[in-house]
Amino acid sequence: YNGSLPNGDRGRRKSRFALYKRPKANGVKPSTVHVISTPQASKAISSKGQHSISFTLSRSQTVIVEYTHDKDTDMFQVGRSTESPIDFVVTDTISGSQNNDEAQITQSTISRFACRIVCDRSPPYTARIFAAGFDSSKNIFLGEKAAKWKNPDGHMDGLTTNGVLVMHPKGGFTEESKPGVWREISVCGDVYTLRETRSAQQRGKLVENETNILQDGSLIDLCGATLLWRTADGLLHTPTQKHIEALRQEINAARPQCPVGLNTLAFPSINRKDVVEEKQPWAYLSCGHVHGYHNWGHRSDTEANERECPMCRTVGPYVPLWLGCEAGFYVDAGPPTHAFTPCGHVCSEKSAKYWSQIPLPHGTHAFHAACPFCATQLSGEHNCVKLIFQGPID
């Protein structure tokens, strides 16, 4: 929620995670395949303390693929579960609100063991994503109802209930980037077109010329939360928190004024990002005129947030403006000139336009653009608006 979780970043539950080379490799790779006809035998095999993936084909047949240690890779697991095999615990993103944890978790659609990211331990440290994570007994279990199949080369594969979707932007994560196409990643890391709905039994078509390798700016959707993947190299070209703070001070130093009250406005400091302050800039999001807070201009009692701008008479939402704090979402280091509608988070023009075009998965079959800082669904003519500040009169 603009750079941090509502209850603060704690342990394995954070708003951002960094992957480092582990002291000792913990990657695994497929080795032996067993076809089992009795449930007892499958238990015996999968309880050997070895990683395995079980594909239940019918009550009488299970295929178990055993995995063996891989000294060349590190594995990181992501999911809703707080059990120890999960490195990064993710919770549902409730758009624009600060709901308490309980309400979110009871209806979560994020899988307990959602996905795993496997990184090469030697340069260029290629990172690949796979659907599903190994549980506490080192098993991935695809039940009878899960979508699964045997590939022409004989190896088994499948999809998780709500799927793991990935979108690689065209042109990486830069000022020139354009949205890519959302794909689904299988348990073995193949790339498929999307299913008709999120949990349909029928898989999409195999996309042979695409891979599960994560690139700078790749988006990973876990059905309830979307993660942005940034590479170390990509982050070198991204503005820092210091730079965003300098931009904030620069805009405040220009002493923007409310065109009506003529009082000086100022963006609050980044660690005061949830309390509306007296000098806070507010904006009419239909036209972009920036004002100080005032209590008039309501068009009707029913539409509490529909106000008429005193400068140009345009009617629309009137909200406080907040500087977007998470530097990793910026595609450039430009000044904060644009606000997302209807939430009022402010960032550079190119960053605002980039996120305004990205269709993020919503629910089980919808897609819509959302503010990267608070996940609020975007609206208005272009999903964002250029802000019009008035300088000091003197």
Side-chain angles (χ1 to χ4, degrees), residues 9 31 58 74 114 124 162 175 201 216 224 251 253 304 354 356 393:
D9 286 352
S31 61
S58 67
D74 284 338
N162 287 326
E175 303 174 18
Q201 294 281 300
D216 192 34
I251 209 165
Y354 175 74
S356 297
I393 304 293

Side-chain angles (χ1 to χ4, degrees), residues 55-367:
F55 301 87
T56 306
L57 302 181
S58 67
R59 291 203 178 142
S60 59
Q61 196 180 40
T62 300
V63 175
I64 294 182
V65 181
E66 288 195 350
Y67 276 64
T68 182
H69 176 67
D70 181 0
K71 66 179 188 339
D72 299 321
T73 62
D74 284 338
M75 179 169 70
F76 301 89
Q77 300 208 138
V78 183
R80 182 169 50 88
S81 170
T82 52
E83 289 179 36
S84 58
I86 294 295
D87 297 287
F88 308 136
V89 179
V90 287
T91 48
D92 289 65
T93 314
I94 306 287
S95 63
S97 76
Q98 313 270 327
N99 280 28
N100 67 36
D101 272 359
E102 294 313 304
Q104 294 178 29
I105 287 168
T106 48
Q107 45 195 308
S108 179
T109 42
I110 301 174
S111 168
R112 292 174 62 244
F113 299 91
C115 69
R116 57 199 196 280
I117 293 169
V118 176
C119 303
D120 289 349
R121 286 173 64 84
S122 49
Y125 307 112
T126 304
R128 294 177 172 81
I129 185 165
F130 300 82
F134 293 100
D135 63 18
S136 297
S137 58
K138 299 185 177 173
N139 190 26
I140 290 171
F141 182 80
L142 293 179
E144 253 181 284
K145 291 205 172 91
K148 55 194 146 356
W149 58 91
K150 193 181 233 177
N151 281 314
D153 64 1
H155 82 261
M156 295 293 300
D157 203 350
L159 304 173
T160 54
T161 307
N162 287 326
V164 172
L165 310 188
V166 170
M167 187 202 81
H168 306 301
K170 294 179 189 139
F173 195 70
T174 65
E175 303 174 18
E176 311 306 320
S177 301
K178 293 279 179 282
V181 180
W182 282 98
R183 302 292 195 207
E184 179 160 14
I185 303 296
S186 73
V187 172
C188 295
D190 283 339
V191 181
Y192 287 85
T193 59
L194 300 189
R195 292 180 259 184
E196 256 180 47
T197 59
R198 197 78 194 224
S199 54
Q201 294 281 300
Q202 193 57 43
R203 70 178 190 265
K205 292 189 174 69
L206 180 67
V207 185
E208 294 191 33
N209 58 344
E210 293 180 25
T211 72
N212 63 337
I213 294 174
L214 294 169
Q215 305 160 15
D216 192 34
S218 292
L219 287 166
I220 302 163
D221 187 80
L222 304 176
C223 197
T226 307
L227 312 178
L228 169 67
W229 175 266
R230 297 300 315 268
T231 60
D233 192 43
L235 286 171
L236 289 176
H237 303 100
T238 294
T240 58
Q241 294 296 147
K242 257 197 189 125
H243 180 77
I244 293 175
E245 176 57 22
L247 291 173
R248 182 187 79 86
Q249 290 179 6
E250 200 176 309
I251 209 165
N252 288 350
R255 293 176 45 235
Q257 286 196 331
C258 172
V260 178
L262 300 181
N263 49 319
T264 303
L265 307 174
F267 278 99
S269 73
I270 280 173
N271 50 9
R272 301 267 306 153
K273 58 183 181 224
D274 15 10
V275 186
V276 179
E277 298 192 349
E278 200 183 341
K279 287 182 157 187
Q280 186 116 6
W282 286 62
Y284 288 90
L285 293 182
S286 294
C287 56
H289 282 112
V290 178
H291 290 256
Y293 178 71
H294 47 244
N295 203 13
W296 30 262
H298 288 283
R299 289 305 297 266
S300 70
D301 295 338
T302 48
E303 289 291 334
N305 207 22
E306 288 290 297
R307 302 271 199 102
E308 182 178 276
C309 172
M311 299 295 285
C312 65
R313 312 296 297 273
T314 310
V315 175
Y318 175 62
V319 301
L321 297 177
W322 305 95
L323 208 52
C325 294
E326 177 48 75
F329 292 142
Y330 284 74
V331 297
D332 70 335
T337 54
H338 283 63
F340 289 107
T341 57
C343 59
H345 280 109
V346 179
C347 62
S348 67
E349 177 180 9
K350 285 181 172 164
S351 300
K353 290 189 169 166
Y354 175 74
W355 288 103
S356 297
Q357 302 169 39
I358 298 275
L360 293 173
H362 178 70
T364 53
H365 50 262
F367 287 81

